[in-house]
Amino acid sequence: MRLLNTIFGYPLGWVMYICYKVIPIYGLALILFTILTRVLLLPLSIKQQKSMVKMKIFQPRMMEIQKKYANNREKMAEEMNRLYAEEGYNPMMGCLPMMIQLPILFGLLDVIYRPMTHILHIGGDVINRAFEIAEPVLRAAAADPTKMVELTKDYAAQLKVIGVIQQNPELFSGLEGLANSVGTLNLNFLGIDLTQTPSLGSFNILWVIPILSFITSLLLSLFTMKQTQSAGDEAAAAAGMTKGMMLMMPLMSGYFAFILPAGVGIYWVISNVLMALQTYLLNKFMNPTEMAEKAKAEYEARREQQRKEKIEAKRLARERGEPSDLDKARSQKEINRLKLAAARKRDAERYGDIYKEVTDDDLK
């Protein structure tokens, strides 16, 4: 887990670093970070919306396949995959934006737990030296020093060391500029320490974050379901929304906001609000039903134009005395009839069977 956090933490750490440079207030920088990540994910959301439209268009063909092969699941899956390939549709597209949220959360955890690395850009050698100075102080303050994890192995070590530096800046005077850099870092927002984790043992202000995370996630699920109803159940499925997920996602959001630092919960709350706004705008300007109806009308218009062109081509062929496609098809049918008849006569003579005339049914 720590390796994944580190892998995704460095690129996202640079994003957070830029946000903090623009707005040197940790909580506001985190909000700006959330907005930027939603903007970066917008192309995927637009592609997902287009996928919903595409599914709406070929939904009747899907229903035909499901009805035709209701008793043959293997053949149904084969035909559905062929249909998806023909239409360039990926069923997993609806889940992709949700799946990408996990790497962002992994990276965000690394950014929150290691602000000295990602936000202050302090070198590794200086951080290790700061660990050595802070460790005796932390052990002296610990209720049970024997249970204290070695700082180099403690994922929350930087947060603990920051506290020691801010309370005892004189101990770090030998590390030039470290105390000043850390002293300017304020990890609080609206009276909440965003590096702290809510505790089940006692009710405090940190409980607000997971509660808001659950509520905003539930409202987002309800709002998304309502927005996709007009596009039909299949559009909701394409959006990755089911009734089961409508409850699962808020519960998961609230749970993670309860066991992770408050900064992650803030990210989730802001992200839910932005997602609701994005869903509204996409359905307003890229409504699946309206776009599907337009695409269907265009498709029918092309079919009608092709039909007229075919009729006109047959008429011109008749005027020039050329055989039509129907005549060619009949000629080919007669050729096939003669070939099959000859083969049957040979088999009848060879094996002593009774020759049977070739019928139209034999040529189907």
Side-chain angles (χ1 to χ4, degrees):
M1 180 69 76
R2 184 178 296 191
L3 178 61
L4 285 175
N5 292 352
T6 303
I7 291 172
F8 296 115
Y10 275 100
L12 292 177
W14 275 100
V15 177
M16 186 63 177
Y17 172 75
I18 294 170
C19 292
Y20 190 76
K21 283 293 183 182
V22 174
I23 307 177
I25 301 173
Y26 187 75
L28 294 179
L30 186 59
I31 293 174
L32 179 59
F33 170 90
T34 308
I35 294 172
L36 286 177
T37 55
R38 291 311 321 167
V39 171
L40 291 174
L41 291 175
L42 184 59
L44 277 178
S45 298
I46 292 175
K47 191 171 182 179
Q48 178 190 23
Q49 193 80 355
K50 290 180 178 179
S51 181
M52 289 169 57
V53 174
K54 187 171 291 186
M55 190 176 186
K56 177 73 174 177
I57 294 172
F58 66 79
Q59 179 69 13
R61 293 170 62 188
M62 285 180 60
M63 295 177 67
E64 288 178 9
I65 292 173
Q66 291 169 351
K67 183 178 180 180
K68 184 176 181 180
Y69 302 104
N71 298 322
N72 190 340
R73 294 290 178 180
E74 185 176 343
K75 183 64 176 178
M76 181 191 297
E78 181 183 334
E79 292 298 321
M80 292 291 279
N81 289 332
R82 182 180 289 113
L83 176 61
Y84 291 156
E86 290 175 359
E87 296 293 338
Y89 174 75
N90 184 357
M92 294 300 295
M93 192 62 217
C95 302
L96 189 58
M98 189 185 308
M99 293 169 62
I100 290 180
Q101 288 291 333
L102 290 177
I104 293 177
L105 287 175
F106 287 142
L108 182 59
L109 273 175
D110 200 64
V111 172
I112 291 174
Y113 275 121
R114 301 202 296 158
M116 296 172 73
T117 298
H118 296 298
I119 297 177
L120 299 179
H121 278 201
I122 297 172
D125 292 339
V126 175
I127 292 175
N128 289 335
R129 180 64 186 131
F131 281 10
E132 294 173 3
I133 297 172
E135 190 158 12
V137 178
L138 290 170
R139 287 194 179 279
D144 187 352
T146 61
K147 293 184 178 180
M148 181 177 164
V149 180
E150 186 180 339
L151 283 182
T152 55
K153 299 178 181 179
D154 188 347
Y155 197 51
Q158 288 193 17
L159 299 178
K160 295 176 180 178
V161 172
I162 285 173
V164 175
I165 295 173
Q166 291 178 342
Q167 293 173 13
N168 308 278
E170 68 281 356
L171 295 177
F172 302 86
S173 58
L175 299 176
E176 186 177 352
L178 177 64
N180 289 335
S181 296
V182 174
T184 61
L185 184 63
N186 184 358
L187 300 176
N188 292 316
F189 183 64
L190 299 178
I192 300 176
D193 185 349
L194 298 183
T195 65
Q196 297 300 306
T197 302
S199 173
L200 288 171
S202 60
F203 180 83
N204 54 49
I205 194 171
L206 289 173
W207 278 50
V208 173
I209 303 299
I211 291 173
L212 283 177
S213 183
F214 172 79
I215 292 173
T216 55
S217 184
L218 181 61
L219 292 176
L220 172 62
S221 297
L222 293 171
F223 179 72
T224 304
M225 288 288 284
K226 183 178 179 180
Q227 288 290 306
T228 53
Q229 276 178 354
S230 60
D233 293 338
E234 70 279 0
M241 287 299 301
T242 65
K243 291 182 178 179
M245 291 181 66
M246 186 180 72
L247 184 59
M248 184 187 75
M249 288 304 297
L251 288 173
M252 188 173 71
S253 176
Y255 171 73
F256 280 117
F258 218 106
I259 65 172
L260 297 174
V264 176
I266 288 289
Y267 165 81
W268 219 312
V269 170
I270 302 301
S271 184
N272 288 337
V273 174
L274 293 175
M275 273 293 292
L277 177 62
Q278 175 185 286
T279 301
Y280 170 75
L281 292 176
L282 284 177
N283 278 280
K284 181 177 178 62
F285 295 104
M286 296 178 62
N287 185 277
T289 300
E290 294 177 0
M291 293 180 69
E293 289 176 353
K294 182 180 178 181
K296 184 179 179 181
E298 292 174 353
Y299 174 75
E300 294 295 336
R302 287 196 302 270
R303 288 283 301 271
E304 180 63 20
Q305 181 63 28
Q306 290 171 357
R307 188 185 70 82
K308 290 180 179 179
E309 290 175 356
K310 195 172 183 180
I311 292 174
E312 180 64 16
K314 288 180 179 179
R315 186 186 66 79
L316 293 174
R318 284 196 299 271
E319 290 180 354
R320 291 193 296 265
E322 298 175 355
S324 65
D325 292 339
L326 181 60
D327 293 333
K328 292 178 182 177
R330 285 174 177 168
S331 299
Q332 185 62 47
K333 189 174 182 180
E334 291 304 319
I335 292 172
N336 293 338
R337 185 190 299 276
L338 292 173
K339 286 181 178 180
L340 182 56
R344 283 188 176 181
K345 286 179 181 178
R346 286 195 302 270
D347 289 342
E349 292 172 358
R350 182 179 302 173
Y351 302 109
D353 293 334
I354 299 175
Y355 171 75
K356 294 181 179 180
E357 291 290 344
V358 178
T359 64
D360 289 343
D361 290 338
D362 296 326
L363 299 173
K364 290 182 179 178

